[in-house]
Every structure is written in C-alpha cells, then in structure tokens.
Amino acid sequence: MDLESIMLSKQREDNIRYLSMFGHFGFECLPHQLVNRSIEKGFSFNILCVGETGIGKSTLIDTLFNTNLKDNISSHFYSNVELKIHTYELQESNVQLKLTVVKTVGYGDQINKESSYQPIVDYIDAQFEAYLQEELKIKRSFADYHDSRIHVCLYFISPTGHSLKSLDLLTMKNIGSKVNIIPLIAKADTISKNDLQKFKCKIMSELVSNDIQIYQFPTDDETTAEVNSSMNGHFPFAVVGSMDEVKVGKRIVRGRQYPWGILQVENENHCDFVKLRDMLLCTNMEDLKEQTHSQHYEWYRCCKLQKIGFTDVGPDNQPVSFQEIYEGKRQKFYDQCHRIEEELKQKFIQRIKEKEMTFQEAEKELQDKFEHLKKVQQEETIKLEEEKRQLEEEIRNFYKMKVSFETLQAQGCSNIKKDKDRKK
C-alpha cells in the first residue's frame, strides 16, 4: 500500500483532510524553535539518593557529573532519618542544568527502622503538594517556579551478596508508586562477577515477588527501543564511583587502585557505571521527567482531588465540569455552615434558657431567704419593742417608787425634828 492510499484510508477513519504542500512555509522549523527556547531557558533535574551512610552516594553523584559537588561527610549518629538538599548550576557546552540532589542522612542507622522510609515519602508528597498548590493558584508563575518534584530515585543496595534487607523492601514498596526507582548495587567491586550476577537475579526476584515497582526504560521510541530493552535486563546496575585518576598503560582514567589491579569506573567490563550514566543522562532524562509528571504526579493529584470531593462524573455517570463540582461543593459547604449555625443558635438559646432558669431559681431562693430574714427581723423588732416598753414601764415604776420613798423619808425626817423640838 502506497503513501497516498494510507493517507486516504486515514482520512476516512478520522474525517480529516490531508493536503500535500507545494512549497516551503516554514513551520518545519518549529522543532528548532523549541530547542533554542529550551537551551535559553535551561533544564532542571532532581535526583533522590537513598542508601545507608557511607555507601557511596556522594561519590557516585560526583562521578556521574564529573565534578566535585563538595558535600560534607555524614555521621552515623542520627536519631532520625533526615534529608539533605543541595542545588547546583552545571553547564556542558551551551546547555545549562539546574541539578538538585537530595540525599538521605542517617538512613538505616537506627535500632528501630520501621519508620525510616516515612521522611522520604513525606518529602516526595510535599513536592507534589507544592506543585499542585501552584497549579491551583489564580495567578500562576510557572516561568519562575522551581519544580522540585523528584524525577528519579537512585536506590543504593548494600553489596551483601545475599538478598535485600527488609528495610530496602519496605522503603521501595512505599515509594515505588511515587517516584521512578532505579536500583543500584553500590560498591560492586567488593563482589566477584559470579556472585554479582547471582545477587542481581536474587534482587530482581525479590522485587517481583514483593510487587515493587521500579522504573523501566521506555521501548516505544524506535531510536532507543533496542538499547533500552537491553538495559532493562541489566537491573540492578552494579556501580562503582571514583574521582581518582589512575594510569592504565598510556591512558589516565578514573578508577580505583588495588593491590591486585585497577578497577576502571568507565570500563563496562568492570561495572555498569557507563550504562547508568548513558541511560540516566544521555537517553532517558526527559522520559524520567515525563513519567514523574504524567504518572506519579497525576496519580497524587487525582487522589488529592478525589479526597476533597472532586470527580469527573456526577452521580448519574455523566461528565461534570470543574465549575459545577466547585459550585456544588460551595453550596454544600454553605448549607453545612448554615446548618451548623442553626445548631449553634439552638444550643445557644437552650443554654440561655437553662441559665435563665438557674438564675430564676437562685433569685427565688434569695427572695425566700430575704423574706424569711425579714420576718425574723420583724419578730425580733417586735420583741425588742416589747422589751423596751416593759423596761420603760419598769423605769417609770422605779421613779414612782423613788418619789414615794423620798416623800416618806422627808415626812419621817420632819416628824423626828418635831419630836426633838417638843422634848426640848
């Protein structure tokens, strides 16, 4: 089938007219415009490194970007798991990259490791929430907004050679649906090649049996499908990091000098560092960012909006707009507020009535007490008046008796005087 037949068939299916151009119009330059604008704006990439203290997280990041990012050495004596966040401005040729590296501190150092993954989950969710809040603003400013959502999680596995630790399984299980996980076997030069291959198979078997999601390199692009499909079979990558330069023959390479020989970091026969760097930075960086936005963030956004009551369809399974849902939620909220207001008013009125009854009973009790005291006072007053009257009566009788006595005394004295006069 020729191209014209295919276009006619497609036209019938989609009801779209396909026209042949007879000249140069210029919109074929749109990709170049996008490239130029992207280069001018610059790029950003956010990496989360999860692993035990001293496992080589900082060294690997330095090796990946071939620069010394100058990070302080972490201690093993942290009571809780913490996250250290550093942002760097890097430039390669005329391409600028804003790199944010988030590393765990104190991971796996606690006696009780059950909640060691929680700070990681909280941080990932916090970045999703910050982006969602920016999206929901009336006046958004994405041009100046620093997107801090994690694009890839490099999970560093200790080179035990046996199996994954329970902490590894628990952490990857909880963050697998929130971030693109690329598992790495750190310090892979401590394991022989045979043991390393067995260890890889054991790790992938445990990840599958525990239903843990890890990032898969995309195979839908013809230009990268073959190499990505091949790289998906190399998980987890066995990596070694080093910024030291050693001499191999006449060449100076990055590697590690051992008594038994030299391990070259960029030699694919020695470790998977080059595979990781090529897949992470050269081939699939944009896909990692796209997966973060279209899959992990969209899942968080969907769950968040559903949690607060937003949905795409109504009770009758008919599509509803965001505005309709908002109006319905607002009306429901107003009705709820009105109902609560009425309930509070009724409670307030009831309490006022109860208080009034209490005050009335107290007032009646005080009034009865006042009347009783008043009656007692009146009785006491009457009693005192009676006692006063009796006392005044006794005083009058006393004065009468006194006058009578004085009269009799005066008469007696007069009679005695008369008798004396007569005797003389």
Side-chain angles (χ1 to χ4, degrees):
M1 184 179 291
D2 58 5
L3 180 60
E4 185 178 355
S5 300
I6 295 175
M7 292 180 65
L8 289 173
S9 175
K10 187 71 174 177
Q11 177 179 340
R12 295 192 194 98
E13 293 176 4
D14 300 339
N15 195 25
I16 299 175
R17 294 183 64 191
Y18 287 85
L19 303 178
S20 300
M21 310 304 294
F22 297 103
H24 176 73
F25 291 89
F27 57 77
E28 66 179 12
C29 297
L30 279 174
H32 302 290
Q33 296 178 30
L34 291 175
V35 169
N36 293 334
R37 178 173 294 182
S38 298
I39 291 176
E40 181 181 354
K41 182 181 178 182
F43 301 88
S44 65
F45 194 56
N46 305 322
I47 301 176
L48 171 64
C49 298
V50 179
E52 298 175 358
T53 305
I55 204 169
K57 300 185 291 294
S58 299
T59 304
L60 182 67
I61 295 297
D62 289 348
T63 312
L64 273 174
F65 295 95
N66 196 21
T67 184
N68 186 3
L69 299 179
K70 295 182 180 180
D71 194 8
N72 296 327
I73 298 175
S74 298
S75 168
H76 287 271
F77 303 101
Y78 283 89
S79 58
N80 297 305
V81 177
E82 299 178 7
L83 296 174
K84 293 173 65 175
I85 306 164
H86 297 285
T87 301
Y88 310 94
E89 296 284 350
L90 306 179
Q91 183 168 346
E92 183 179 16
S93 298
N94 63 335
V95 178
Q96 293 184 345
L97 177 67
K98 190 173 187 178
L99 175 67
T100 298
V101 181
V102 183
K103 300 174 188 175
T104 56
V105 177
Y107 182 78
D109 292 338
Q110 294 76 34
I111 297 177
N112 184 1
K113 302 178 177 64
E114 291 183 0
S115 60
S116 294
Y117 69 89
Q118 195 59 49
I120 304 171
V121 173
D122 292 343
Y123 178 81
I124 296 172
D125 287 343
Q127 309 321 303
F128 285 152
E129 181 65 23
Y131 192 88
L132 177 61
Q133 292 301 321
E134 185 66 26
E135 271 192 335
L136 296 177
K137 284 183 180 179
I138 296 176
K139 187 177 180 180
R140 300 183 293 185
S141 57
F142 279 117
D144 302 324
Y145 179 75
H146 173 53
D147 185 3
S148 58
R149 294 175 296 176
I150 297 299
H151 299 133
V152 64
C153 170
L154 301 180
Y155 194 92
F156 291 74
I157 300 170
S158 297
T160 61
H162 302 293
S163 62
L164 290 171
K165 299 178 181 179
S166 57
L167 176 60
D168 298 329
L169 295 172
L170 185 62
T171 301
M172 286 192 279
K173 182 74 172 178
N174 281 276
I175 68 175
S177 61
K178 300 175 181 292
V179 69
N180 302 311
I181 298 178
I182 295 181
L184 308 176
I185 299 176
K187 298 183 177 180
D189 53 340
T190 60
I191 311 177
S192 66
K193 283 191 174 181
N194 292 334
D195 291 340
L196 183 61
Q197 194 58 40
K198 293 178 182 178
F199 190 34
K200 282 188 173 185
C201 295
K202 179 66 174 178
I203 289 173
M204 292 307 298
S205 175
E206 290 186 343
L207 292 177
V208 172
S209 62
N210 287 276
D211 194 26
I212 294 174
Q213 304 176 35
I214 62 172
Y215 175 72
Q216 295 291 317
F217 300 121
T219 56
D220 52 355
D221 187 352
E222 295 180 358
T223 59
T224 59
E226 184 177 353
V227 64
N228 279 348
S229 178
S230 174
M231 289 299 105
N232 283 330
H234 283 79
F235 280 129
F237 291 129
V239 296
V240 178
S242 176
M243 291 296 292
D244 297 335
E245 293 183 343
V246 295
K247 189 175 181 180
V248 179
K250 295 182 179 181
R251 296 183 301 118
I252 300 297
V253 298
R254 288 187 297 170
R256 291 183 178 272
Q257 180 80 49
Y258 294 104
W260 46 261
I262 296 173
L263 183 140
Q264 301 177 40
V265 171
E266 294 173 307
N267 188 331
E268 294 190 43
N269 293 322
H270 292 183
C271 67
D272 297 330
F273 172 78
V274 173
K275 296 183 179 68
L276 172 66
R277 183 184 61 190
D278 291 346
M279 291 297 99
L280 185 66
L281 304 180
C282 302
T283 309
N284 298 296
M285 179 186 286
E286 192 59 34
D287 183 72
L288 287 164
K289 297 173 70 173
E290 179 63 27
Q291 286 292 319
T292 298
H293 181 77
S294 62
Q295 182 176 339
H296 301 300
Y297 169 70
E298 283 299 321
W299 175 249
Y300 176 85
R301 177 179 173 274
C302 178
C303 294
K304 187 72 174 183
L305 293 179
Q306 286 180 347
K307 187 177 180 180
I308 59 179
F310 289 96
T311 181
D312 293 330
V313 295
D316 53 355
N317 289 328
Q318 295 297 320
V320 291
S321 66
F322 190 86
Q323 183 177 358
E324 290 175 341
I325 297 175
Y326 172 75
E327 292 293 339
K329 294 286 290 182
R330 184 173 67 171
Q331 186 61 43
K332 182 179 179 181
F333 176 74
Y334 284 159
D335 293 342
Q336 183 180 3
C337 288
H338 181 70
R339 185 177 68 255
I340 294 175
E341 184 181 1
E342 289 298 322
E343 291 177 356
L344 291 175
K345 282 183 178 179
Q346 294 299 324
K347 289 181 179 180
F348 182 70
I349 293 173
Q350 182 65 27
R351 291 190 66 181
I352 289 177
K353 288 182 178 179
E354 292 175 356
K355 286 294 183 181
E356 286 181 346
M357 291 181 62
T358 303
F359 289 149
Q360 289 175 358
E361 291 176 357
E363 184 181 8
K364 184 176 181 301
E365 184 178 352
L366 289 173
Q367 185 66 29
D368 293 341
K369 189 174 181 180
F370 174 75
E371 292 295 334
H372 174 71
L373 292 175
K374 184 178 179 180
K375 184 178 180 180
V376 170
Q377 183 188 19
Q378 290 176 349
E379 292 176 352
E380 289 292 331
T381 303
I382 293 172
K383 184 177 179 181
L384 289 173
E385 289 292 337
E386 179 64 23
E387 291 179 354
K388 180 182 177 182
R389 187 186 62 78
Q390 292 178 358
L391 183 59
E392 289 176 348
E393 183 68 24
E394 290 178 357
I395 291 173
R396 284 196 297 271
N397 292 334
F398 172 75
Y399 280 116
K400 288 179 179 179
M401 292 176 62
K402 180 179 178 182
V403 172
S404 298
F405 176 75
E406 289 177 348
T407 304
L408 290 175
Q409 187 178 14
Q411 290 178 358
C413 291
S414 177
N415 292 332
I416 293 172
K417 188 177 180 180
K418 287 178 179 182
D419 289 338
K420 286 182 178 180
D421 292 337
R422 279 199 303 267
K423 289 179 178 180
K424 290 181 179 181

